[in-house]
Amino acid sequence: MRFEPGRLIVHRNVRRGRIGWVRTARVVSDDDRGLVLWVPRNSPVAGEVTEAGLGMRAVPFTEWISSSYRLAASRWNGPSVLKFLPAGAAHSVWWFRDAHDRFAVWYVNLEEPGVRWDDGGLAGVDMVDQDLDVVVRPDRSWEWKDEEEFAERLAFPDHYWVADPDPVRAEGKRVIALAEAGEFPFDGTWCDFTPPSDWVTPEELPPGWDRPPVR
């Protein structure tokens, strides 16, 4: 299944069969290397929150797993971001920008390989975010991110969506080696990406954005 460039899709994170977050994105390209998505500034998104309106990172995990949830619509709060989902890989790479829309860092999001779906009117990619991440700076120096959250959640195997931390870390180390060597996608590709001028940021999440996950 391939998505046409320019198509509006949703990129979704799934947690134990529930939608964790949703981001509206435009397809930049889709080929043998993988899928490239553009999430523009102020694009419609949604995220899981407690009944009090708090996101998962705003409460201890012990409180989160005992809460009830709802999906709250909002807007992408920050500069536009480019995402690369390598075909079959257990990670994605995001090009983060600064407040002036200039490339700032690569963000390696460790995740289970995405599963695509297409309902005709709407298509998307569902994945499981494994929480541990790697930040790679323009000089190819790097650091792990969210290690404390990762460790905290691993202590609750009956509730956490990551069963084994070892493959997650191994994937991170594999991608770190690519970054240190300056190999694709850490070779400057897409750092100056500019979307087509006729791409309009939608006002709302597209119908069907909250359909049941395929994972």
Side-chain angles (χ1 to χ4, degrees), residues 22-24 42-46 74-76 201-206:
V22 182
R23 291 167 187 166
T24 309
N42 205 40
S43 60
V45 299
S74 60
R75 294 277 174 178
W76 180 250
T201 302
E203 292 295 325
E204 299 178 345
L205 286 158

Side-chain angles (χ1 to χ4, degrees), residues 168-192:
V168 180
R169 287 194 175 276
E171 179 73 358
K173 291 176 181 178
R174 186 181 72 82
V175 182
I176 286 168
L178 292 177
E180 289 180 328
E183 295 184 17
F184 176 82
F186 306 99
D187 57 354
T189 301
W190 298 317
C191 286
D192 57 354

